[in-house]
Structures are given as structure tokens and as C-alpha cells.
Amino acid sequence: MSVGTPMTFPGDRVVVLVRQGCHLCDDAVVTIGEVCAQRDIAWSAVDVDTDPELQARYTDHVPVTFVDGEQHSLWFVDRDRLVAALS
């Protein structure tokens, strides 16, 4: 994945990059899960440590949330801002 490549997965409007043991990642996953479930929107969580390219690109800069392929947030997910982006 090169810089500028959208982060998308087939059928998923929201993708969040996470890492095991990251409390901010855990918080982001809960918020995203709730917001997406309320709107019946598909989403994915991807562990950056499972892909060397993602690991090199994002290092400790997780969670990173993408909506429709565009970076939406870094480290924290604002529920209201996510709702607005998905409306």
C-alpha cells in the first residue's frame, strides 16, 4: 500500500487500523462498532502488525479510522463527527 492509497475493503465503509494492547484502539473499536451497528454499516478492524507495510507506515500512530477510503481520525474517534461523516 503506497502513501495516498485509500484504505478500503470490499463492502466496508469504515476501516480502523489497530494494534493489540492499545487502549485507544479498544475505545475506537467500541465507538465505531456502536455507530455502525445503529446504521447497519459494514466496518473492519485491521491489525497493523499483521502487515509489514501497514506496520511501517503507521508505526505507533493507531488507531487510524478511514471513512469511504479517506482518513477520518487519528488516535480518537469523535462519535458525533463519525455520525456526520456516515450521514
Side-chain angles (χ1 to χ4, degrees), residues 46-69:
V46 177
D47 187 330
V48 296
D49 293 325
T50 63
D51 181 308
E53 213 170 320
L54 289 176
Q55 186 180 43
R57 183 172 177 189
Y58 293 100
T59 60
D60 290 332
H61 297 105
V62 291
V64 183
T65 305
F66 296 84
V67 174
D68 297 326

Side-chain angles (χ1 to χ4, degrees), residues 32-48:
I32 292 165
E34 291 172 355
V35 169
C36 288
Q38 291 169 350
R39 285 154 187 77
D40 196 28
I41 293 173
W43 68 283
S44 296
V46 177
D47 187 330
V48 296

